[in-house]
Amino acid sequence: MKRKNPFMDIYNNEKFKSVLQYKENPRIFPFIVDVELTNYCNLNCIFCGQQTMKRPKGYMSEEIFKKIVDECAEHKTPIRFIRWGEPFLHPKIIEFSRYVKSKGLPLHITNNGLAMKESDILDLIDLKLDSLIFSFQGATKEQYEIMRNNNRYEELKAKVLKFVELRGNNPKPFIQISSTMTNETEEQIKDFVDYWEKIVDLVTVGKTNLSRLSAQQIKSFENMGKLELLKKQETIKKIYRPCTEIYSKLSVDWDGKVTGCCSDYDNFLVVGDLNKSNLFDIWNNSRELKIFRELLNNNKHKCLTLCSTCYHTYDKF
């Protein structure tokens, strides 16, 4: 069965793709809202912002969550469970997913595949989750285990195969595998893509950005050494690009803080707080968001800690 990702209607929307053309008069509400259900994670990936994260860890409350969903429903704005924790660690992920779908909104989840239970899979199929990404790393078992700092590749592979099996001929969810590469060969990447394309609906491959963390920031001495070795293999092009993120999305931390970037792991680009305001007001009136837009419009990425190491990762490898 050929499946369509409902989110492609957004990603292929001309105004979404050309959002910078409208920067003088942005739309009144984001195209998408990204939600961090929790910033706890079950992995210890050596390249991840989790290695240096200082902000408190916790789980999004039902009050904050419903406030987000209810406001998004007013604007028919899709929601993605994504960002700096493993969403399946949140004890109410299925309950929260049902609430999103009850409001008629498209819902996407990105996960690492290792916290999801079989009962979760069945529930997500039943509630007609729209889109799901399994996040891999590298093109081989060996590279995955180096980057993800574990020996659970076969477990992840089995979880993907189980999800596909249980989905059967149901049209949803659209299942995607996403991975980034460091110095894998073209043959290794081709083998990875060829294998998974026969199983899931889409495979995307980008480059791993290892520049975001410095050895001095990392809490683990062991991981510090591993990261420095990997940085010597890095192939990403370190070129700044105009930022579309700040004109297309808002991202909400588990505690209700709102940031202008889905990659913000430690409150570098906070633009508001849902405990004091709402998404509409933050999007249209945040002083901080206006300042960040002005700086990035003028290619002043180096003025902002997070943006100074932000490079495009999904060019052709």
Side-chain angles (χ1 to χ4, degrees), residues 52-291:
T52 66
M53 189 182 291
K54 296 176 183 176
R55 63 185 170 102
K57 293 193 174 185
Y59 300 94
M60 182 169 283
S61 69
E62 186 171 343
E63 179 184 7
I64 288 291
F65 181 75
K66 287 188 172 181
K67 182 173 184 177
I68 296 166
V69 176
D70 291 348
E71 190 173 2
C72 285
E74 291 178 26
H75 298 275
K76 297 181 172 58
T77 297
I79 288 174
R80 304 190 305 184
F81 295 166
I82 195 170
R83 298 191 63 237
W84 292 100
E86 170 48 50
F88 283 94
L89 294 181
H90 196 293
K92 292 189 175 182
I93 183 171
I94 299 301
E95 180 182 328
F96 283 5
S97 297
R98 282 201 181 96
Y99 190 74
V100 175
K101 295 306 297 176
S102 76
K103 296 292 183 176
L105 298 177
L107 174 64
H108 165 83
I109 301 175
T110 292
N111 80 118
N112 63 40
L114 297 173
M116 180 193 296
K117 303 185 293 292
E118 186 167 322
S119 61
D120 295 329
I121 297 174
L122 293 170
D123 285 333
L124 293 174
I125 293 168
D126 181 62
L127 61 84
K128 296 181 174 58
L129 173 72
D130 295 277
S131 171
L132 179 82
I133 285 179
F134 286 99
S135 181
F136 276 64
Q137 204 66 42
T140 65
K141 175 182 178 180
E142 292 72 25
Q143 193 71 357
Y144 171 88
E145 292 181 347
I146 290 170
M147 300 298 289
R148 295 278 173 167
N149 213 12
N150 66 50
N151 60 356
R152 302 177 70 183
Y153 180 84
E154 295 300 333
E155 184 182 344
L156 170 57
K157 183 177 175 181
K159 191 65 66 73
V160 178
L161 296 175
K162 174 57 71 173
F163 204 123
V164 172
E165 175 194 341
L166 293 174
R167 180 186 64 174
N169 291 322
N170 289 294
K172 292 182 180 181
F174 184 92
I175 300 175
Q176 177 179 340
I177 282 175
S178 179
S179 186
T180 64
M181 310 294 167
T182 305
N183 67 336
E184 285 83 348
T185 66
E186 288 188 11
E187 182 180 6
Q188 287 173 324
I189 296 169
K190 183 177 184 303
D191 287 346
F192 176 83
V193 173
D194 287 349
Y195 174 80
W196 284 111
E197 273 188 336
K198 297 180 179 71
I199 297 168
V200 299
D201 302 307
L202 180 66
V203 181
T204 53
V205 171
K207 295 183 179 181
T208 308
N209 184 0
L210 298 172
S211 304
R212 190 152 282 153
L213 307 181
S214 68
Q216 292 73 26
Q217 293 175 293
I218 293 178
K219 302 166 190 173
S220 162
F221 184 78
E222 180 185 1
N223 288 348
M224 179 177 70
K226 289 179 181 177
L227 181 64
E228 288 307 295
L229 285 173
L230 285 168
K231 280 187 177 184
K232 296 175 182 178
Q233 306 169 21
E234 192 174 32
T235 57
I236 194 171
K237 293 179 181 177
K238 298 182 179 181
I239 300 170
Y240 296 135
R241 293 193 176 189
C243 180
T244 59
E245 180 90 4
I246 50 175
Y247 289 101
S248 57
K249 291 180 280 183
L250 282 177
S251 297
V252 187
D253 290 346
W254 69 268
D255 58 359
K257 287 189 173 62
V258 180
T259 174
C261 180
C262 63
S263 295
D264 186 0
Y265 60 90
D266 227 0
N267 291 346
F268 295 106
L269 296 175
V270 170
V271 297
D273 188 341
L274 290 185
N275 295 286
K276 303 174 184 177
S277 186
N278 59 54
L279 292 168
F280 180 89
D281 186 54
I282 293 167
W283 181 253
N284 290 284
N285 300 311
S286 167
R287 175 178 173 271
E288 291 80 7
L289 183 56
K290 290 175 181 177
I291 290 170

